[in-house]
Amino acid sequence: MSEDDIVEPEDPRGGKPSASGMQRIALCPGSWMAERAYPEESSEAAEMGTRLHKHMELGTLPEDPEEAEAVEWCRTQERLLVEKYVSGIGCPSSPEERTSSGYAEAPGLRSSGPSVLREVRWWAADGSFSGQGDVAYVHDGCALIVDYKFGRVPVPAAASNMQLAALAKLAFDNLADINVVFCAILQPFASRQEPRVVRYQLADVPQLRRYFGNLLAEAARPGARRVPGEEQCRYCRARAACPACSELMVRETQADVAALWADWSPEKKAEAVRLAGLAKKWAEAVERRAKADLKAGFAIPGFRLSAGRKSFKITDAQGAFGQLNALIGLTGEEFAGCCTVKISALDKVVHGKLAEQAPEGVKQLVKKSAEWLRDVLEDYGAESVSEGSIMGDD
């Protein structure tokens, strides 16, 4: 597919860049034009992020206890940030405290008091890009923008985060009489440390305007340079078909890792680990798109789609045991010997019971419930420890 074949999707961004993609565009200007040829991708992680963002917007809690704790942590941190950086603002968290338009005053404040803007899309003064912050608190010449990230991979720190810089620029463009903008990211599944905050002042606006003007001009230029790398390619929809990404994969995978590893510097090893993560993402994207083509009847020489394997899952264990007990006299002990208990599912059930029994005013944490369950079942199970996975120090 060439860039001439691109059909602009109908979306709130109007086919223009968005603040959420600025980090990737800054690292690889050509990625914006490349991505336009491919539809949005869905995944369990993305669906969870969308779901938890909606809970944050509506002031509700998810049923899953771990997700509920993440949402509650974000609300607590958001309230603390508001108290620290925007004097006098409360933190509304229920639907009654907000209007359907996304605007609301903090409880108990005058009509001329602070405003709370949730999921409001702003456009740059020149119309070149837009951005939708998760929530912005505005009061007395000051704005606080908080963005939620529910992934498990840490995002760039606030001080170097291009999405936050873009949102700050948009805040100055769209909010009257703003002198300072504070920005923070809350990522409960990646870090529960106190969130870092970056500050932008009115004097920074000319530099922000020049930076994003130059960046987006380069991104819109036909043949804009593509700079592949783990961070920028990780979520890029074009990575499976991107020549620059493919060339990087071919070049790097030709190296004899076993022979060269001992001679590599620590920096080279770190680069190789990052590229290994990119190679996995690239391979997954290729396989996913190839499977979609084969399902749709498009030929890929030398490959075909195999028939799916049938499987059968017991969805009603109690009913299944009753039926087999009645028909062939299967005993409870025999049936139990065929079962494997999903500890994650049992964790949720046990946490719910312990939460119900907790004394009034005492919060039962998911982690504490899991620790209690493993202590109680110590004689009925076995604990194992995996090798662990490689994580960054961010």
Side-chain angles (χ1 to χ4, degrees):
M1 181 180 293
S2 69
E3 293 177 354
D4 293 334
D5 298 324
I6 294 171
V7 177
E8 295 288 354
E10 294 184 5
D11 66 17
R13 298 176 291 271
K16 299 289 184 68
S18 179
S20 60
M22 288 300 180
Q23 194 78 29
R24 188 191 66 251
I25 296 174
L27 293 170
C28 177
S31 64
W32 179 63
M33 290 291 287
E35 264 210 328
R36 292 168 60 203
Y38 300 95
E40 296 283 348
E41 297 177 345
S42 181
S43 65
E44 288 186 13
E47 291 172 2
M48 182 185 73
T50 300
R51 184 171 65 250
L52 297 191
H53 271 84
K54 197 65 178 178
H55 282 292
M56 291 297 299
E57 179 185 358
L58 298 178
T60 54
L61 284 175
E63 293 183 3
D64 181 272
E66 185 182 19
E67 293 182 3
E69 283 188 7
V71 167
E72 288 183 321
W73 181 85
C74 283
R75 289 205 179 107
T76 298
Q77 293 302 314
E78 184 177 320
R79 186 175 295 109
L80 293 173
L81 288 170
V82 166
E83 292 172 354
K84 184 174 182 179
Y85 291 97
V86 189
S87 176
I89 294 184
C91 183
S93 59
S94 69
E96 292 77 14
E97 293 170 350
R98 291 189 287 276
T99 65
S100 58
S101 65
Y103 290 77
E105 292 180 8
L109 294 172
R110 302 187 308 274
S111 59
S112 60
S115 296
V116 183
L117 291 71
R118 289 188 183 270
E119 303 296 339
V120 176
R121 181 167 292 278
W122 291 326
W123 281 88
D126 61 0
S128 59
F129 74 97
S130 68
Q132 184 169 304
D134 291 325
V135 62
Y137 292 85
V138 185
H139 178 58
D140 195 23
C142 172
L144 167 68
I145 299 173
V146 181
D147 196 69
Y148 318 126
K149 299 294 185 187
F150 292 106
R152 298 184 185 276
V153 178
V155 300
S160 59
N161 192 290
M162 290 296 101
Q163 180 183 2
L164 295 186
L167 289 173
K169 196 268 184 188
L170 292 173
F172 284 116
D173 282 356
N174 287 268
L175 300 174
D177 302 321
I178 292 297
N179 301 311
V180 61
V181 176
F182 297 100
C183 300
I185 292 177
L186 302 180
Q187 40 184 349
F189 294 120
S191 172
R192 293 291 177 94
Q193 296 180 355
E194 180 180 352
R196 298 289 181 88
V197 175
V198 60
R199 173 180 176 175
Y200 291 94
Q201 302 182 78
L202 194 59
D204 297 321
V205 173
Q207 182 179 354
L208 290 171
R209 185 181 296 119
R210 286 193 300 271
Y211 176 80
F212 287 111
N214 293 336
L215 176 63
L216 297 181
E218 167 64 14
R221 183 179 60 80
R225 61 191 176 92
R226 298 187 185 182
V227 185
E230 193 278 329
E231 183 178 346
Q232 57 267 43
C233 295
R234 185 188 304 152
Y235 301 119
C236 180
R237 300 192 300 273
R239 62 180 175 267
C242 176
C245 185
S246 299
E247 289 173 9
L248 176 65
M249 292 296 95
V250 170
R251 183 175 68 250
E252 294 298 326
T253 54
Q254 287 179 341
D256 186 343
V257 176
L260 297 175
W261 184 264
D263 297 327
W264 282 352
S265 68
E267 291 74 21
K268 175 60 179 177
K269 291 177 181 178
E271 179 187 6
V273 172
R274 286 192 291 269
L275 288 173
L278 172 58
K280 291 176 184 177
K281 292 286 186 181
W282 182 82
E284 290 169 0
V286 169
E287 184 173 343
R288 183 167 57 250
R289 296 196 182 282
K291 188 176 292 186
D293 274 7
L294 293 171
K295 281 184 178 179
F298 296 111
I300 299 180
F303 295 91
R304 62 182 176 83
L305 194 63
S306 66
R309 295 179 61 183
K310 290 184 178 181
S311 62
F312 186 82
K313 180 180 180 181
I314 302 295
T315 57
D316 180 0
Q318 187 172 352
F321 168 68
Q323 180 78 334
L324 293 173
N325 176 260
L327 291 175
I328 61 174
L330 188 74
T331 67
E333 185 177 357
E334 291 170 328
F335 185 80
C338 301
C339 298
T340 300
V341 178
K342 289 185 177 179
I343 192 66
S344 58
L346 189 59
D347 275 334
K348 293 179 181 179
V349 174
V350 170
H351 174 75
K353 295 286 187 181
L354 292 177
E356 290 175 0
Q357 299 169 15
E360 186 175 351
V362 175
K363 173 69 175 177
Q364 181 66 28
L365 299 176
V366 171
K367 183 178 180 181
K368 292 296 183 182
S369 297
E371 291 173 351
W372 179 88
L373 177 61
R374 283 149 184 75
D375 287 342
V376 169
L377 299 183
E378 183 179 5
D379 294 335
Y380 307 96
E383 184 177 68
S384 61
V385 179
S386 67
E387 289 186 350
S389 49
I390 301 173
M391 298 179 64
D393 292 331
D394 298 341

